Amino acid sequence: MKIRTWGYSIKQGMINIKRNKLFSLASIATIAICIFLIGLFYSVFVNINHMVEEAEQQISVTVFFKPGITDEEIANLKDQISKRAEVKEVTYTSAEEAWEEFKAVYFGDHMDLAEGFKDDNPLANSASFEITLNDISMQDVLVNYLNSLKDQGIRQVNASENTASTIDTFGKLVAYVSVALIVVLLAVAVFLISNTIAMGITVRREEIGIMKLMGASDLFVRAPFMVEGLIIGLIGAVIPMIVLLVLYNRVVLYIITHFQQVSSFTIFLPVKDVFNILGPLALVIGAGIGLIGSMITIRKHLNV
Amino acid sequence: MIDLENVSKTYSAGAPAVNDINLHIDAGEFVFIVGNSGAGKSTLIKLMLKELEPTAGRIVINGKDLKTIKHRKIHLLRRDIGVVFQDFRLLKDRNVYDNVAFAQRVVEVPNRIIRRKVPAVLSMVGLAEKYKSFPKELSGGEQQRVALARALVNNPPILLADEPTGNLDPKNSWEIMNLLEEINNRGTTVIVVTHNKEIVDAMQKRVVTIQKGMVISDEKAGGYLYED
């Protein structure tokens, strides 16, 4: 088909939409809701993922040693633990370092107050390993393993209790529910579009018959209806994207100001990072729904 | 130009609508196809336009074998045949100019050619003045002339008119027939399906008579054989 013909087809597609306002609007609204929800779930999902990643960075397991452990034994343990698949990094903090750190945090500018402990490190037994994990869901496995090493000089294993795995489970739940909902909505959207196009074809039945008799190619007959579906799909994608774009920063700001305990450990993704993927994704989904919807109807009703 | 060899068409129930027809029409001929209603004329037209498939036989139009032509090439066959109907089949929401231009748009003719060609063909059928009128503002004869202009604007080698005078009074009928003859004189093969005895008798063209799906006579220059 020639380029100028596409101009004609686009014009005819627009005429179809205008003629069939109510159905077109219903289709656009359904797609818009569908893509809005996709966008919403996507935003929530990537943010949760982001938080989980952040949490994974922060969550670590701390291991303390029995008194009298030798440097050699510590080095040995470090080797063994580092070899574990779930372990990302093992950092050794000696008792002196622990004390220096403690002093810096708790005495701050008043170092003289700490002088009283000068020759008697109160944290003498607090040499430790800080172990970060590749995958926080493996934390329990690691803790069990570490506990089994107690006869090799480990005194105590401190692990942050399951905040991380809760986040993980919640994220998965949101993902499952949203996928199910989105699939249903997508089906409804395709159904509505194909009905809208069917209306257009019915209205134009006579014209289509004449076109075919005149020798219009199949594509020429179909193109206006494909354009119609495409335009409906794209409008249905652009509207929720604008709404989400406006809402995103406001919601993030609202959460941070109203739920301080949340903002203390959550860092939201910047709007740009979310929409870099979400924007094109929404347009592709919108256009896809529109085209699929119109193709279904064209196959069924336009025997060309 | 048009070849039908042993063409039959049987609908799911009953006797064949078209029964073993052999018909050869040369380029530039003017042919009447006559017969009672139910004789199989409409089926014959649909077969030639490939709206129906023959049950048996072979149809070749302008070098295209209708049996082997690919589905996506059927539109090229239809571009070889301009069609005019008894009920005109104009688009009611478009004026005369747009109805004729439509035929060119659907075969993707550039606008600059449409602008030149449509007024030319409208003046040929004597409607140059009425290009802005809508179909409902025209008489039956004028509407049929618009339909004729639409069928001719793409210069098809074949013009197929299905009862073109069926809805017209005698005066308008003659105007249409004179136009068809003029078109034929310019080299277009014209096939007129009709049961207008007066016209067929007067024009003394080739007449193919069909009865019960069979060709019962094919006269080089004849009249209407049977009364309705």
Side-chain angles (χ1 to χ4, degrees), chain A residues 1-2 4-5 8 12 19 204 206-208 210-218 220 222 303-304, chain B residues 49 51 71 75 78-79 81 83 85 89-94 102-103 105-110 150:
Chain A
M1 215 160 94
K2 292 161 190 159
R4 65 167 169 273
T5 312
Y8 179 79
Q12 296 304 311
R19 265 193 204 162
R204 291 193 162 213
E206 196 188 3
E207 186 181 334
I208 291 166
I210 294 169
M211 283 164 87
K212 287 204 256 176
L213 267 178
M214 300 276 157
S217 66
D218 287 2
F220 187 90
R222 289 173 178 183
N303 189 22
V304 293
Chain B
L49 291 170
E51 285 183 7
H71 182 265
H75 67 279
R78 305 225 167 111
R79 288 179 193 187
I81 310 173
V83 196
F85 297 97
R89 295 201 197 168
L90 300 176
L91 294 168
K92 293 169 192 70
D93 61 340
R94 270 162 247 206
F102 181 70
R105 288 214 179 91
V106 302
V107 298
E108 303 177 48
V109 173
R150 186 179 66 184

Side-chain angles (χ1 to χ4, degrees), chain B residues 2-72:
Chain B
I2 296 173
D3 263 306
L4 281 80
E5 288 173 21
N6 308 102
V7 174
S8 294
K9 173 70 190 176
T10 309
Y11 295 106
S12 50
V18 167
N19 193 356
D20 198 29
I21 280 188
N22 284 287
L23 183 62
H24 174 83
I25 297 171
D26 278 322
E29 272 196 274
F30 191 116
V31 184
F32 282 115
I33 295 178
V34 303
N36 301 336
S37 33
K41 298 180 309 239
S42 301
T43 302
L44 200 59
I45 290 172
K46 284 182 176 150
L47 287 171
M48 287 198 269
L49 291 170
K50 203 171 161 72
E51 285 183 7
L52 289 176
E53 299 292 326
T55 325
R58 181 162 175 255
I59 303 172
V60 180
I61 288 175
N62 205 17
K64 297 181 180 78
D65 189 328
L66 269 53
K67 188 139 213 136
T68 56
I69 193 170
K70 290 198 176 72
H71 182 265
R72 62 189 158 80

